[in-house]
Amino acid sequence: MVDALFGDRRLVGVYDALEEGRGDLEVYVGMVGEFGARSVLDVGCGTGELARLLVAAGVEVVGVDPALASLEVARGKVGAEKVRWIHGDATGLPPLQVEMAVMTGNVAQVFLTDEEWMATLYGVRAALVPGGRFVFETRDPKRRAWLEWNREATYKRIDVPGVGHVENWTDLLEVNEPFVTFRSTYVFESDGARMTSESTLRFRSRAEVEESLSEAGFAVTDIRDAPDRPGKEFVFVAEVA
């Protein structure tokens, strides 16, 4: 199931404006350059912001996402014709041999079962060349990020070009570790429409992630701090073993 935030065309249309200023994407572009990767698989590419930055840097990019509405937005961006867009997920990819795979944002945490997570890891590994790298981020459950998921801490009001002012905030609905469920609310001031999107994330410990990567045939070579959430998140760098 695709969350409404990524699957509903009206919500997808304001996603980039509400998420403006994602400096973490520039860090991923920097890591692609650091490792000299010339081809990248962007798993859960969403509206294609990272893919757009990478192709502008001369990198060959494959973007995959299960949300068709998000891909439609991505395909309309400058440089989109240089990206190979795939509607689906990492478990059903066509034959690929890329030098690096990435998962940004919440992507690594949307796989709620062990079966979904392991299938994704195996799918990514199959798409990588020998020695290829897999880089992704996931929140440290010990930091309990969900304690800040409330209206007071998350409220924003943005003037979206062509849409008008949109209010947005997050409410925590349930914590049943390792699962956390929250609701995002959007109010379109132009017509008063109020829309919501509920999401559930799984918070895996560092040890759990490392064990699963090893099982899928990866060797963890580095664990870095997240640029946009320092001290709250892990950035795993793993290589095909």
Side-chain angles (χ1 to χ4, degrees), residues 9 13 33 36 59 72 75-76 92 101 111 121 123 126 130 132 136-137 142 146 149 168-169 174 181 208 214-215 228:
R9 189 62 182 81
V59 178
E72 289 173 348
R75 290 186 176 116
F111 307 104
L121 294 185
F136 65 92
E137 59 191 75
K142 293 181 181 178
W146 55 84
W149 295 353
N168 169 234
W169 67 89
E174 182 180 19
T181 301
E208 285 180 296
S214 177
E215 182 180 339
D228 57 333

Side-chain angles (χ1 to χ4, degrees), residues 109 117 136 138-142 177-178 202-213 223 234 236:
Q109 293 185 250
W117 175 237
F136 65 92
T138 184
R139 289 180 176 85
D140 181 356
K142 293 181 181 178
E177 294 187 67
R202 177 168 175 171
F203 284 71
R204 293 177 174 86
S205 69
R206 172 173 172 166
E208 285 180 296
V209 175
E210 288 185 280
E211 182 179 352
S212 63
L213 285 168
I223 300 176
F234 306 116
F236 284 88

